Amino acid sequence: MQMTPQMGYDRAITVFSPDGRLFQVEYAREAVKRGTTAAGVKSKDGVVLLVDKRITSRLIEAESIEKIFQIDDHIGAATSGLVADARALVDRARVEAQINKVSYDEQVGVEVLAKKICDHKQSYTQYGGARPYGTALLIAGVDDSRPRLFETDPSGALLEYKATAIGAGRSSFMEIFETDYSDDMDMDAAIMLGMKALYRSTEGKLNAATLEVGLVTLEERQFRKLSEDEVETYVSRVREELKGTEEEKKDDSESQDETTE
């Protein structure tokens, strides 16, 4: 069997290819791209995380699939990629948060925790005998003065965003966020923006039973997940709003056609 040049560099995480790539890390990123879409949106008074769990069979109990996790009172995380890897990282993050509480008698900072998780992920790209984590995390929380939203990468890279998405639908979500995001959004508007992106990416097939929404506000400083009834309220609102917009566009298009004729 003839070996391709790439095969000599993708068998070990510690070997760079001649053009400076680590193929195992890139393969881990592909695992994230194949995962369900998770999104985070920062508002002036908090942060919201949204995930469509993408149920593939009506026999699956939707409650058994968890993609949004609480890490500390004021911090939550959403995942895309290998969920088992994400659970391991979430468990580690919870331990780090408790260590900080015991050591310093204060809640861990959102950025501090995100960097600790990224440092751990980076270590798995530097030593042989283990593979990188095949998951990306959105870490959302509130510090003393402002909400924070971080995206972590399988390589250990860390970026802070106002609004972002990970997973299969990232590109369509980012197009909507780039167009419609505003710095002075309140929490309700941030949730509606995330729901709007979910509606577009699923072509209108939103189901409250398969959506997870978690949020934390500066006022309450307590991360929580919305109940199915609360999610259904937002789903109904976004359906009505976007269907009305689509009908207006259709009417405008038909009137333009008539004018042209």
Side-chain angles (χ1 to χ4, degrees):
M1 184 178 74
Q2 185 176 5
M3 292 180 62
T4 63
Q6 176 179 321
M7 290 181 66
Y9 304 100
D10 68 356
R11 296 182 184 276
I13 188 60
T14 57
V15 180
F16 281 94
S17 70
D19 56 350
R21 300 163 66 188
L22 288 172
F23 286 113
Q24 291 299 318
V25 173
E26 294 188 17
Y27 298 156
R29 287 179 178 143
E30 287 300 320
V32 173
K33 290 178 183 178
R34 294 172 183 268
T36 54
T37 307
V41 182
K42 191 162 63 173
S43 70
K44 62 183 180 182
D45 52 1
V47 193
V48 61
L49 297 173
L50 308 97
V51 178
D52 180 8
K53 294 190 280 191
R54 195 166 67 185
I55 305 300
T56 56
S57 170
R58 66 183 182 87
L59 302 178
I60 295 176
E61 292 284 2
E63 296 84 1
S64 67
I65 299 176
E66 190 176 12
K67 297 292 182 72
I68 293 180
F69 305 86
Q70 181 172 354
I71 293 176
D72 202 353
D73 290 341
H74 63 305
I75 302 176
T79 177
S80 180
L82 301 181
V83 181
D85 284 12
R87 284 203 306 269
L89 287 172
V90 167
D91 287 344
R92 185 179 183 88
R94 287 169 175 166
V95 171
E96 292 286 356
Q98 293 307 305
I99 289 173
N100 193 89
K101 181 70 173 176
V102 171
S103 300
Y104 305 108
D105 193 27
E106 63 182 18
Q107 292 179 326
V108 67
V110 183
E111 185 174 3
V112 171
L113 183 66
K115 284 182 176 178
K116 284 181 179 292
I117 295 305
C118 284
D119 289 345
H120 177 66
K121 293 172 81 171
Q122 188 276 336
S123 69
Y124 278 78
T125 71
Q126 197 169 359
Y127 301 103
R131 63 167 175 78
Y133 284 94
T135 187
L137 292 177
L138 295 179
I139 300 175
V142 291
D143 283 337
D144 293 335
S145 59
R146 59 187 176 127
R148 310 294 295 273
L149 175 64
F150 293 94
E151 178 185 326
T152 74
D153 181 77
S155 68
L158 178 68
L159 292 171
E160 185 171 8
Y161 282 92
K162 296 176 180 178
T164 188
I166 53 177
R170 174 183 167 85
S171 58
S172 62
F173 271 68
M174 294 305 285
E175 286 179 9
I176 294 171
F177 291 161
E178 290 279 0
T179 304
D180 297 342
Y181 180 82
S182 173
D183 289 331
D184 60 352
M185 278 183 169
D186 60 15
M187 182 58 73
D188 183 72
I191 296 173
M192 286 298 291
L193 177 60
M195 284 290 181
K196 176 182 175 182
L198 280 170
Y199 182 91
R200 294 272 170 80
S201 68
T202 60
E203 297 179 349
K205 298 175 183 177
L206 281 184
N207 182 357
T210 64
L211 294 180
E212 271 190 289
V213 181
L215 57 85
V216 58
T217 63
L218 283 169
E219 181 180 359
E220 297 179 357
R221 302 186 64 81
Q222 179 64 51
F223 185 85
R224 70 179 184 91
K225 291 185 184 180
L226 298 189
S227 67
E228 187 174 329
D229 290 339
E230 289 177 299
V231 174
E232 181 61 47
T233 301
Y234 282 104
V235 169
S236 300
R237 282 177 59 190
V238 78
R239 279 177 179 158
E240 291 176 6
E241 182 179 317
L242 292 182
K243 279 184 178 178
T245 303
E246 289 170 358
E247 288 174 358
E248 287 178 6
K249 287 182 178 179
K250 185 178 179 181
D251 291 341
D252 290 341
S253 176
E254 289 176 353
S255 62
Q256 287 178 1
D257 291 341
E258 290 174 0
T259 304
T260 303
E261 290 176 358

